[in-house]
Amino acid sequence: MSEEQVVLEVKHLKKYFPIKGGILKRTQGHVKAVDDISFDVRENETFSLVGESGCGKSTTGRAILRLHEPTDGDVLFNGENLIDVSKSSFRHLRKDMQLIFQDPYSSLNPRMTVKKLLMEPLLTHKLATPKEAEEKTVEMVEKVGLSTEHLDRYPHEFSGGQRQRISIARALILRPKLVILDEAVSALDVSIQSQILNLLKQLQEEFQLTYIFISHDLNVVKHLSDRVGVMYLGQMMELAETEALYDNPLHPYTKALLSAIPSINPKEKENKERIILQGDVPDPSDPPSGCPFRLRCPMAHDRCAEEIPRYIEAERDHWVACHLYDE
Amino acid sequence: MKDFTQRLIEDKVGLIGFIGIFIVVLLAIFAPLIAPYEPDEMFTNHVMEGPSSQFLFGTDEFGRDIFSRIVYGAQVSLQVGLIAVSIGAIGGLIFGLISGYFQGKLDQVIMRIMDVFFAFPDILLALTIVAVLGPSLTNTMIAIGIVFMPVFTRLVRSAVMTVKENEYITNAQAIGVRPSMIIIKHIIPNIMAPFIVQITLALSGAILTEAALSFLGLGVQPPDPSWGMMLNDARAYMEFGPWTILFPAAAIVFTIFCFNLLGDSLRDLLDPKLKQ
Amino acid sequence: MKPLLDINRLNIDYQSNKKEFNIIKDINIQIDEKMKYGIVGESGSGKSLTSLAILNLLPDALKVDQGHIKLNTDSTKDLITLSKKEMRKIRGNDIAMIFQEPMTALDPVYTIEYQLLEVLKIHKNYSKKEMHQKGLDMLNKVGISRSEQIMKAYPHELSGGMRQRVMIAMALICEPKLLIADEPTTALDVTIQAQILDLMNDLSESHHTAILMITHDLGVILETCERVAVMYAGQIVEESTVENIFEEAAHPYTKGLLSSIQSLGERSNELYSIPGNVPTPDNYQELGCRFATRCPFAMDKCYEQEPPMFEVQDDHASKCWLHVEEAQDDERRTSRAGS
């Protein structure tokens, strides 16, 4: 596994949002949305980022694509540091990296037909003449399970699942290498969600895609991913291969998160040990000292308040940031 | 476009508005052919006469034919309305887009300037500008345009900020579309609805502001007829000759009404969601 | 004993000057006292409309066409025919409701205390002091520790989980007989969802409140409910105890839903999925079964005639022609064996 080629390397990525206040709109503090996280993504794999709302998983995705300019850190895409590239030349790099959003209702311009939506990326990057673009559009629409008769319609004429197919077609028409899926199936009904997940898997094989899958849904993540990173309050808590993480979670937060998923198997429900965490996620503009999870952690001890746990490889390919594993 | 005309024809209300405006435009263009007399021709024997077969809408205090003056006045009023509103709308669109899309310091500067304009009552601001530039038809239009600009700027700015929140804007950025194209292709079409409605409202406002300016002697210069001026001239005589005020007022109401009808239906026609 | 809430053949139509069509068809639900009942369905299945109909809060364009919703407390009332004034006495008092969005369900300009005690002011006659004490008790019961402080807070000062706790406190403060919870945890994170579901379970037991849980999440149903109705396109397609539904689902739609979720956990390559899209009310199948177009087992009959609610086993009904066919086959076989 580890010999596979690394496509994307994220090193010490930070994204702080200033909090402005007062009459003069001075910066009074920072929300550390992403606070020093590192990971790499390997070719053709699905790497997932999970966590609760406000943990910084979406911001990470957007910082990689520089839709939010990172505060600090490096992002290496095929060896090239994306942070050093000027804004205008970064626009050309965007064709290799695409983003698919959660909300299929607001992510498509309501005034453009499907055909125009799909042609826009090609024409923007001058990858095709209008005529060629139209041919590619027809091909792409069929690949995502829609038909050519849909081309002249507007987004509002489609259901949520179909719109998400359009979003996928629009992202993939540029033949990107890396696709970041930000809660891409979260807004969909169960019966539609599985259709889209199947489609994503099938397209990944066909186009040799690398996915970064951002989600709060641990069941979906388990199904789709090769490796999973668990985030909490802007930091990476644990990162491992999917099976290792689900079968043998190390971090107390991961354990609690997994136990909180409502079971769908009556037998499993009987003998499942549930950890119910106390309290809420702390305010990210005022995080606790030391380990960000310590206020809710059933295992917290004195050391957790004093120092931030190191992010270490506790087992082979299994990283964790917790004092319990760093004696 | 073919599709659009088709839908306009099917939409009865919009069609009525469109035809009404078309009639006013025809009146303005073919005024010399339609009007029976020159607008400033005085029939001294027929001062303040009611409607008759000779003078369709009656005559005013100088014995001028009101019908002819309304026909010629359409030229002035339409011109003032359209050009003044275009100045205001285009200026407002540009400033509003810059303000709303890029935000930051530039936004602050633009909006504070607009606030200053906002602080003055419309008519006072228009008066000041005309007073500085000198009274003439062109300057009246420029003044009204400037007066209307802050409203458009505010409207466009807030609409842009709402539209900008949509993920399809981020999506376009993620694809690599340059900011200028994002504004043209993704933002402008999505702010058109409130913008067009504001234009129809501003048209009526412009015609009325012109009337007020003319009344104060700073707008259209006599003897050129404008509806607003006719209205104001007639105020002193409306007890003896209600027709002097009735017909110019009707012309203004009719035109504004038609613009509003058209504006409403345009907004719907431009929205693909309401397309059946 | 009469059930606490008895919904009988409830039909809801959409009416505007342009169109008219049926949305909710023949809903039958009986909820006993202290029972925890779930309605599960995808968006647009009509589960929320059913709950709004109970409180007579349907949007103007929707009309109850026929049916009864009987509430049996001290006396029996048909909620459909009740006057507005009588209905107001029931809302918040006998039946309370909590909504999905704790962010918008609280009014941002009033303190928690004001909103929490408002219900009490309307329905009960307590002194100011008693009310304040009641409010504090209730906040403590929903697991809010700094209750004095929270009483004075405004909604925006609280997190999503806290707001949902406040909503639950507001709903339960009058000790209603029935609590309708419309997707109460959908907007919350999993760890907070676990807290809230736990809390609801505890409170319904200690307050003897029946719960009607409306959700799209089968997992939430299994965590909280005893009985469940599965809705699809405005109809109940299957109804039974939670155990029966999860272990012996009969209707193809229920089976499909369960398979797609269960296969998620298995890390298999291909997920089971129900083909097609959820229909919108204006294009529901007029004749036959509303699920037929997406059903892998659809027969000609399914497009022609509406299937009956068939008792597949004791206390377990499913709306599908397959069961009727099977039953007939069995009958034939036994009669042949008998002769």
Side-chain angles (χ1 to χ4, degrees), chain A residues 52-53 159 162 189-195 197-198 201 218-220 222-223 225-226 242-243 253 257 260-267 269 274 276-280 296, chain C residues 42-43 159 161-162 189-195 198 216 218-220 222-223 246-247 257 260-265 267-278 294:
Chain A
E52 300 180 279
S53 51
S159 67
Q162 287 172 316
D189 279 317
V190 184
S191 71
I192 307 299
Q193 180 173 291
S194 28
Q195 293 175 2
L197 287 173
N198 283 340
K201 268 212 157 168
L218 291 140
N219 283 328
V220 171
K222 183 176 180 185
H223 170 75
S225 344
D226 297 301
T242 308
E243 255 137 67
Y253 176 61
L257 205 56
I261 314 172
S263 170
I264 36 145
N265 185 334
K267 286 188 191 99
K269 185 191 161 198
R274 293 198 61 173
I276 294 194
L277 288 178
Q278 295 305 308
D280 286 317
R296 301 173 77 197
Chain C
E42 298 181 289
S43 52
S159 68
M162 284 290 254
D189 287 316
V190 260
T191 59
I192 309 296
Q193 166 171 298
Q195 292 174 359
D198 217 46
H216 71 282
L218 281 161
V220 170
L222 185 60
E223 292 287 332
F246 276 82
E247 280 165 9
L257 271 189
S260 35
I261 311 174
Q262 271 150 4
S263 60
L264 261 185
R267 247 179 96 62
S268 54
N269 256 334
E270 173 112 7
L271 286 175
Y272 178 84
S273 70
I274 303 172
N277 292 300
V278 184
R294 300 177 72 192

Side-chain angles (χ1 to χ4, degrees), chain A residues 7-266:
Chain A
V7 183
L8 186 84
E9 262 179 279
V10 175
K11 290 181 180 168
H12 306 291
L13 186 72
K14 286 180 191 168
K15 175 66 199 176
Y16 295 175
F17 291 104
I19 307 167
K20 292 193 173 158
I23 313 165
L24 297 170
K25 299 260 167 78
R26 285 223 186 94
T27 305
Q28 293 181 324
H30 287 97
V31 175
K32 297 180 177 179
V34 177
D35 197 9
D36 195 5
I37 67 166
S38 305
F39 57 89
D40 49 44
V41 181
R42 299 161 189 170
E43 198 161 14
N44 296 339
E45 80 164 340
T46 302
F47 177 82
S48 288
L49 284 174
V50 293
E52 300 180 279
S53 51
C55 72
K57 55 190 192 298
S58 288
T59 311
T60 306
R62 284 165 202 227
I64 292 171
L65 294 180
R66 283 179 63 184
L67 292 169
H68 293 321
E69 283 299 328
T71 308
D72 195 18
D74 294 306
V75 177
L76 275 69
F77 181 65
N78 284 331
E80 185 178 9
N81 195 340
L82 297 180
I83 307 301
D84 298 339
V85 180
S86 78
K87 258 198 167 174
S88 56
S89 39
F90 191 74
R91 257 205 299 278
H92 302 292
L93 279 171
R94 288 200 188 280
K95 67 177 189 295
D96 292 330
M97 293 169 277
Q98 285 299 311
L99 181 61
I100 295 172
F101 295 85
Q102 164 173 14
D103 186 357
Y105 291 87
S106 84
S107 61
L108 298 170
N109 185 341
R111 311 253 165 185
M112 287 168 89
T113 59
V114 173
K115 189 198 266 173
K116 280 192 187 150
L117 282 166
L118 295 192
M119 280 169 66
E120 190 188 30
L122 290 171
L123 299 178
T124 299
H125 289 282
K126 300 199 175 66
L127 291 175
T129 62
K131 209 179 154 215
E132 287 166 354
E134 252 189 273
E135 283 163 20
K136 284 198 175 177
T137 304
V138 172
E139 186 192 340
M140 202 62 225
V141 163
E142 280 164 359
K143 283 237 154 67
V144 297
L146 297 171
S147 66
T148 44
E149 68 189 60
H150 292 129
L151 280 173
D152 291 319
R153 298 202 192 153
Y154 288 92
H156 71 94
E157 295 172 66
F158 295 93
S159 67
Q162 287 172 316
R163 288 187 207 203
Q164 208 54 316
R165 287 176 195 267
I166 299 169
S167 296
I168 293 171
R170 180 167 148 98
L172 296 190
I173 201 160
L174 288 170
R175 299 291 144 87
K177 296 186 182 78
L178 176 73
V179 182
I180 299 184
L181 298 126
D182 190 354
E183 301 275 11
V185 297
S186 304
L188 303 175
D189 279 317
V190 184
S191 71
I192 307 299
Q193 180 173 291
S194 28
Q195 293 175 2
I196 300 295
L197 287 173
N198 283 340
L199 177 70
L200 286 173
K201 268 212 157 168
Q202 176 204 323
L203 292 169
Q204 181 174 36
E205 259 166 52
E206 187 170 345
F207 295 125
Q208 298 290 300
L209 299 169
T210 305
Y211 286 155
I212 296 182
F213 190 80
I214 297 168
S215 178
H216 71 281
D217 187 329
L218 291 140
N219 283 328
V220 171
V221 165
K222 183 176 180 185
H223 170 75
L224 204 68
S225 344
D226 297 301
R227 290 186 310 139
V228 181
V230 181
M231 287 182 73
Y232 187 81
L233 224 60
Q235 296 183 26
M236 191 72 87
M237 296 278 109
E238 186 165 1
L239 191 156
E241 283 181 19
T242 308
E243 255 137 67
L245 189 96
Y246 280 78
D247 296 342
N248 178 29
L250 297 179
H251 201 285
Y253 176 61
T254 316
K255 287 180 186 169
L257 205 56
L258 290 174
S259 88
I261 314 172
S263 170
I264 36 145
N265 185 334

